[in-house]
Amino acid sequence: RPMTCPFQYQVYLNRQRSYRELPMRLGETSTLFRNEDSGEMHGLIRVRQFTISEGHLILRPDQLEEEFKGCLDLAKYCLGTLGLLDKCTFRFSQWDPANPNNKYEGTAEQWEEAQRVMAQILKDLDVDYTVGIDEAAFYGPKLDIQYKNVYGKEDTLVTIQIDMLLAEKFGMYYIDENGEKKLPYIIHRTSMGCYERTLAYLIEEFAGALPVWMAPEQVRFLPVTDRACDYCADLARQLSDLGYRVDVDYRNEKIGKKIREATMEKIPYMIVVGDRDMENNTVSVRLRTGEDLGAMPLADFTAKLKAVVDSKSLDLN
Ligand SMILES: [Zn+2]
């Protein structure tokens, strides 16, 4: 499937719905497939199989502004947490009135109404945006959250869309307080977008040196000799039991080489363990920046790691 919309609508259509059940907020993490041209494919940014956090909110017209604001808050929270929000811009993507038969469903009146409502919401929410003509979805206008890659090319990270058209096509009525059949509005939204694309921008943004809380490997133990291997295994298990992502380099290689490789791989923390550490019950901590923090008890390192991870800090120390 190339999108989740019709599948989530089936949940709504499972039985008759009352106005009291709205808004209905549906969301899932799904694997989607799109047969992009080979020329369009680009690293992790545009791929044919991808993972997306996609949701649909089915709501009464009077709920539109509040629910739209909730979607915008969620997207801002996700992108802010990932550290990408500061570089994002907002685009109000509209249809092309000069070329309505291009791809657009619905009448000019319906489009003008949807865009008028969306402009009002963006004004109320104080969103600074640019306008993109002919960038709308075929069923409605969008708020696109745009990100520029290192080459200056802009891509959409997250999108929130107002749809006043598709509910009728799918027969998605609800019963209002007067017992009458009414058509809901739908918001299509992502929260952190396509995982592969967002990941590509994260790798680019941090040049591979991901913040500790999201680094796939947070700590690597580097035994100086075979004698330190059991000690490292034991400490690694302690950190792993606390929920950290830890590995041990057991290879029979020179310590300089192990440090060099871990640094190249941008592993945030390297724990070098030699005979003296074992005698003193300490660990020697090095950062991927090359800084050497020296020897300390494992408990001190664990406290430092916890503080950095819990605060989602970009610093290592
Ligand atoms: Zn959708």
Side-chain angles (χ1 to χ4, degrees), residues 46-304:
R46 197 172 291 269
V47 289
R48 285 181 175 156
Q49 177 187 328
F50 55 98
T51 316
I52 197 166
S53 58
E54 201 166 44
H56 295 86
L57 288 75
I58 301 157
L59 40 99
R60 305 192 305 261
D62 65 277
Q63 297 169 321
L64 184 58
E65 179 157 352
E66 196 181 332
E67 293 303 314
F68 190 93
K69 179 174 187 304
C71 294
L72 182 58
D73 286 344
L74 177 64
K76 281 180 162 176
Y77 169 76
C78 290
L79 295 175
T81 304
L82 294 173
L84 297 177
L85 185 62
D86 289 348
K87 292 201 176 159
C88 288
T89 54
F90 297 90
R91 184 180 74 189
F92 180 2
S93 296
Q94 306 182 354
W95 80 320
D96 182 3
N99 196 12
N101 299 327
N102 178 9
K103 61 177 177 181
Y104 300 107
E105 299 275 338
T107 65
E109 291 72 35
Q110 285 172 313
W111 274 92
E112 292 311 322
E113 171 64 6
Q115 293 187 175
R116 185 191 63 74
V117 171
M118 185 143 160
Q120 185 62 46
I121 291 174
L122 295 177
K123 183 162 179 277
D124 292 347
L125 299 180
D126 216 11
V127 177
D128 254 335
Y129 59 81
T130 59
V131 170
I133 299 292
D134 203 22
E135 297 283 358
F138 69 88
Y139 46 73
K142 309 188 285 176
L143 179 67
D144 290 324
I145 304 184
Q146 302 289 104
Y147 185 86
K148 250 189 202 143
N149 72 13
V150 289
Y151 301 109
K153 187 183 178 300
E154 210 176 76
D155 245 317
T156 301
L157 266 187
V158 165
T159 171
I160 305 168
Q161 312 172 352
I162 293 179
D163 171 6
M164 301 180 175
L165 298 175
L166 287 188
E168 186 173 14
K169 288 216 141 188
F170 283 83
M172 298 164 68
Y173 295 93
Y174 65 92
I175 305 299
D176 76 2
E177 61 269 41
N178 302 315
E180 283 169 24
K181 275 167 76 176
K182 286 281 163 61
L183 282 169
Y185 290 167
I186 299 170
I187 295 176
H188 307 239
R189 66 113 185 101
T190 55
S191 53
M192 48 181 274
C194 164
Y195 288 16
E196 288 79 2
R197 181 178 294 180
T198 302
L199 181 61
Y201 287 139
L202 284 170
I203 293 170
E204 219 174 70
E205 171 70 19
F206 296 109
L210 295 170
V212 182
W213 72 273
M214 66 170 98
E217 184 182 341
Q218 296 166 315
V219 181
R220 185 177 295 178
F221 283 86
L222 307 177
V224 176
T225 64
D226 267 358
R227 291 189 297 282
C229 284
D230 287 342
Y231 183 83
C232 285
D234 180 45
L235 299 188
R237 196 168 306 118
Q238 290 181 41
L239 286 187
S240 174
D241 285 347
L242 292 171
Y244 299 109
R245 296 181 288 277
V246 183
D247 208 347
V248 184
D249 186 345
Y250 289 114
R251 293 175 305 159
N252 189 13
E253 295 283 358
K254 290 222 162 50
I255 189 66
K257 181 174 178 179
K258 291 182 179 181
I259 290 173
R260 212 159 41 244
E261 287 185 5
T263 306
M264 292 288 287
E265 290 172 37
K266 317 269 171 107
I267 310 297
Y269 299 102
M270 286 158 259
I271 308 283
V272 180
V273 176
D275 290 340
R276 196 182 302 159
D277 290 305
M278 289 194 287
E279 278 161 31
N280 299 337
N281 226 355
T282 56
V283 292
S284 295
V285 181
R286 285 181 67 101
L287 309 182
R288 65 183 166 204
T289 54
E291 197 181 338
D292 190 344
L293 303 187
M296 63 183 81
L298 182 70
D300 288 8
F301 172 70
T302 308
K304 184 188 294 294

